[in-house]
Amino acid sequence: MTFELICEIEPPTKPDLKRVRHQIGTLSTIAHSFLIPDNHIGRATVSSVAVAHEVQAMGGRGIACLNSRDRNLLGFRRDLLTAAAYGVDQFLFVYGDKPTSGNRTSDLTVRSMIEEARKFSPDFRVGAAAAMRPLPAWKRTADFLFLQVGFSLEAQLRWREAHPVDVPVYAGVMVLASERHARNLAAAIPDIAIPDDLIRRVAADRMAGVEAACEQVLKIRDSGAFAGVHLIPVARYRDVESRLAAALR
């Protein structure tokens, strides 16, 4: 079975796709497909469906992330129609981080989004996010699962063994770009345990986060426990590509 690397794209917060295209072009040497976040971290960005279409126009495979936070049922149906018109047929449905402005809508849940997408088109592939805790039964109906970002291979393997499912599961790996990035992440998402040793290494060497993430990707591949990795390179995508291009061949 092919080990898949799904690279997350940083979507633009301005109406300019130049940087998106550069990310796609750079990471296409290692990525099997690209995940495009949806107003991630509560900030407005270019539509994930539009960026997924751009990925496909450049010869890649796009997965559009859609959150329940920002849309009601009518808005969600609009997004599905737009995706179908653009030929985008893969989605990751998530709850969504706390918005920096405006309010969270309560019209949809991830579960209802999966059900609605199934009714809209049997050809859509829909995924859900899995936290490092017991897996709800309804999430097993998804076509694939993205396990939350973790910095311990052992913890990821324990979760995988405790939660056997018949669909592909992709382990989350993130590059820590700086000590500040690490501490902000730990403060924002208490479920994510970042080893103190890794934070110290990142503080002393700006490349330590890249090297740790690339090493984790290769160890996950060698474990055979996951279908692949959901890799979040943040702004370090050039460094990630240069280190993984040869190692993943």
Side-chain angles (χ1 to χ4, degrees):
M1 183 173 64
T2 301
F3 179 82
E4 295 184 56
L5 188 62
I6 301 174
C7 291
E8 183 165 311
I9 294 294
E10 280 283 306
T13 56
K14 297 179 180 179
D16 182 357
L17 296 180
K18 185 184 300 181
R19 188 165 181 269
V20 162
R21 295 185 182 111
H22 191 265
Q23 292 177 73
I24 297 166
T26 299
L27 292 169
S28 61
T29 62
I30 60 173
H32 291 81
S33 52
F34 295 90
L35 176 72
I36 301 91
D38 178 32
N39 293 346
H40 63 318
I41 323 179
R43 298 176 303 175
T45 62
V46 172
S47 163
S48 60
V49 173
V51 177
H53 175 62
E54 185 71 18
V55 167
Q56 294 175 180
M58 293 182 65
R61 294 173 57 205
I63 302 172
C65 184
L66 297 175
N67 70 66
S68 65
R69 177 196 62 207
D70 299 339
R71 47 185 53 81
N72 58 19
L73 180 58
L74 185 60
F76 181 54
R77 288 174 174 169
R78 172 207 59 206
D79 291 331
L80 295 179
L81 279 168
T82 302
Y86 276 164
V88 174
D89 60 3
Q90 295 194 86
F91 306 91
L92 175 68
F93 296 148
V94 299
Y95 181 61
D97 298 315
K98 182 179 179 180
T100 56
S101 61
N103 298 315
R104 180 188 295 275
T105 179
S106 59
D107 203 26
L108 294 171
T109 64
V110 173
R111 186 173 185 173
S112 67
M113 291 168 75
I114 291 176
E115 293 169 352
E116 186 71 21
R118 296 280 192 227
K119 288 188 291 185
F120 184 90
S121 173
D123 297 326
F124 282 167
R125 291 188 72 245
V126 299
M132 297 282 273
R133 57 174 72 107
L135 185 67
W138 62 265
K139 286 194 175 182
R140 295 174 181 271
T141 66
D143 295 311
F144 55 89
L145 295 171
F146 276 31
L147 182 61
Q148 77 172 61
V149 166
F151 296 89
S152 166
L153 174 63
E154 292 72 21
Q156 291 172 320
L157 293 177
R158 285 195 301 270
W159 184 92
R160 189 70 182 93
E161 184 177 1
H163 301 88
V165 291
D166 296 328
V167 300
V169 180
Y170 301 92
V173 175
M174 177 183 281
V175 173
L176 293 179
S178 65
E179 180 184 10
R180 180 181 178 184
H181 177 216
R183 297 197 183 283
N184 288 345
L185 184 66
I189 311 176
D191 285 349
I192 294 182
I194 305 176
D196 291 335
D197 175 64
L198 177 56
I199 296 177
R200 285 193 294 269
R201 285 158 50 201
V202 170
D205 178 5
R206 65 184 299 272
M207 293 304 299
V210 172
E211 291 163 0
C214 293
E215 181 180 342
Q216 187 178 358
V217 168
L218 297 177
K219 287 182 176 178
I220 290 171
R221 180 196 62 178
D222 294 344
S223 76
F226 293 91
V229 160
H230 161 218
L231 176 61
I232 307 173
V234 292
R236 309 302 292 278
Y237 61 93
R238 299 176 188 84
D239 299 318
V240 166
E241 189 278 335
S242 68
R243 280 157 177 73
L244 285 180
L248 287 172
R249 287 174 184 160

